[in-house]
Amino acid sequence: MKTDNLIADKTFEFAISIISLYTQLQNEKEFIISKQLMRCGTSIGANVEEAIAAQSKRDFIHKMSIASKEARETKYWLRLLDKSVVTKISVDNYLTEIGHIINIITKIVKTSQEHISK
């Protein structure tokens, strides 16, 4: 599902991987962190999609800022899962990918804000 939009593609693929992680965690009877991850990890892409359909530059920035917040929350829950003894599932790849996503979204928001203030 290539859309020629890097961040839309990355966040969609990340959401798919979060769904897989959620399923693994549920199978291990981990119900709290898994639900938090499912909610915020899949919300990133939804907010990016909303931003793509924004009605104005300010609306775009607002939606992308929400995506950024959801990405940072996802990173928090992944770090918590990584450092806790709740599961032995490795989340290293997820942490790497969410780091890339956060960097891209941050750059998009900053660049958009610079263009709006001109």
Side-chain angles (χ1 to χ4, degrees):
M1 181 191 150
K2 286 291 177 194
T3 61
D4 293 332
N5 184 315
L6 174 67
I7 195 59
D9 292 343
K10 279 184 117 21
T11 55
F12 182 83
E13 292 301 321
F14 185 75
I16 296 295
S17 70
I18 286 294
I19 292 168
S20 175
L21 177 58
Y22 170 82
T23 302
Q24 292 175 56
L25 291 168
Q26 291 283 300
N27 288 339
E28 289 193 10
K29 308 285 190 250
E30 197 304 301
F31 301 111
I32 306 300
I33 296 174
S34 62
K35 286 181 183 176
Q36 293 290 343
L37 273 171
M38 177 66 112
R39 187 196 58 72
C40 58
T42 57
S43 177
I44 305 163
N47 283 291
V48 167
E49 287 295 329
E50 284 189 40
I52 291 169
Q55 296 176 342
S56 67
K57 187 63 113 173
R58 289 186 195 282
D59 187 31
F60 175 82
I61 292 167
H62 176 70
K63 297 289 195 288
M64 289 302 281
S65 295
I66 294 171
S68 175
K69 290 177 182 181
E70 294 292 338
R72 290 172 189 284
E73 181 181 346
T74 300
K75 182 178 178 182
Y76 172 82
W77 290 114
L78 286 168
R79 287 179 54 228
L80 192 61
L81 193 59
D82 185 45
K83 298 301 179 192
S84 69
V85 292
V86 174
T87 182
K88 294 194 185 305
I89 297 171
S90 173
V91 295
D92 292 344
N93 291 338
Y94 298 95
L95 284 166
T96 299
E97 188 59 23
I98 197 63
H100 293 311
I101 289 169
I102 289 168
N103 289 341
I104 293 167
I105 293 174
T106 299
K107 181 67 174 167
I108 290 169
V109 170
K110 285 183 178 181
T111 302
S112 298
Q113 287 171 332
E114 288 170 4
H115 287 121
I116 205 167
S117 63
K118 289 182 180 180

